[in-house]
Amino acid sequence: MAGVLDQLGKEAHVAIVRLRSLGDCVLTTPAIQLLKRYRPDLRIGVVVEPRFAGIFEDNPDIDETLPPKMKALRRFHPQLAINLHGGTRSIFLTLGSGARYRAGFGHYRYAFAHNVIIPTAQRVLQVERKVHTAEHLASAMFYLGVQPVEIPRARLFALPARFPSPYAVIHALASQPGKAWPAERFLEVGAYLQSHCNLDPVFIGGPGEDLKAYRKFRTLNAPLRETMSTLAGASLFVGNDSGPAHMAAAFGIPLVVLFATSDPVVWAPWKARAETIVAQGGMSSVPSIQVIGAVDRVREINAEPSTYLAIGRPDLSVS
């Protein structure tokens, strides 16, 4: 049922069910921006877990953030619920939302919960290649009626932190040990940034995360909004494939991101000046000099955006 957006009344309420995780929330903002550009009158509510709600704060495209509770969603009275998460909880929230139109991708489990089935992004975008996550999410809006246009960069809103000197943010942590580059190599990069780039390294982590290995430099364990401010004021980001990398890309910061098993075609920083280094032989196979070289390249004014290198597989290097 394409063209649903044109069937909604003036100032209709639209609930976007996102729930989690950090990177996915960031990469949902281009789709929301497309929706709001097409129908500025709509009132947009994002259903998200409280720990990620800060991603959507102060965003002029979003009218409300809603906790993932049925009572809150029903109180919002959506005419359209768009399920962009696809998990069991989001399915039940969408089904119980009371919305006249319940939209979700056709590959989601329990598709019976949706009366508007969104086809694959490849079909919507009329391409045969892999698509980036931002393209996948935006394709839902195109199917629902938004006129196809260029997909914008992710949008985050935070006041830049004011540190006494220019600084680079380093995110050396990861959700799994196999996704983390060795700590001693991050320290080598930090030393290079300080001695050759005149950038003070700031190692970041969430509340309670262990940053002891990096206390040679400034460390910051901070909640989400403070982390956003720190990223907004940075001159460079270096880190493992993670949510903070997508946040840095949204602020337009040059990035170097190390990938272990995730596909950079799908998860690379979106529309940012970036190099993503893919460790084909495990994260320890990436030498410090490789990352330092990438740092130098992304800091060049005329650097090409969004390149990635596959370490140990020269045939996979693309730009």
Side-chain angles (χ1 to χ4, degrees), residues 56-72:
F56 303 106
E57 285 184 19
D58 299 321
N59 189 326
D61 300 324
I62 297 165
D63 297 286
E64 292 188 44
T65 56
L66 307 167
K69 296 181 178 179
M70 195 69 73
K71 183 181 292 187

Side-chain angles (χ1 to χ4, degrees), residues 280 309-318:
Q280 296 292 329
L309 304 175
I311 300 303
R313 291 283 302 278
D315 56 304
L316 291 182
S317 296
V318 301

Side-chain angles (χ1 to χ4, degrees), residues 275-280 290 294 297 307-311 313 316-318:
E275 282 198 13
T276 57
I277 300 174
V278 183
Q280 296 292 329
Q290 187 73 46
R297 287 190 294 275
T307 67
Y308 80 82
L309 304 175
I311 300 303
R313 291 283 302 278
L316 291 182
S317 296
V318 301

Side-chain angles (χ1 to χ4, degrees), residues 4-5 8 12-18 35 43-47 66 70 73-74 76-85 90-105 108 113-118 140-141 144:
V4 166
L5 295 176
L8 299 179
H13 289 204
V14 176
I16 296 175
V17 183
R18 173 62 272 172
L35 173 60
R43 289 190 57 81
I44 308 299
V46 178
V47 182
L66 307 167
M70 195 69 73
L73 181 55
R74 297 279 296 195
F76 184 67
H77 298 298
Q79 292 185 28
L80 166 65
I82 307 172
N83 180 7
L84 293 181
H85 184 259
S90 69
I91 292 288
F92 284 111
L93 285 167
T94 303
L95 185 62
S97 66
R100 177 182 177 186
Y101 301 108
R102 304 182 305 277
F105 285 99
Y108 285 169
H114 308 118
N115 56 16
V116 180
I117 305 298
I118 304 169
M141 304 306 167
L144 294 172

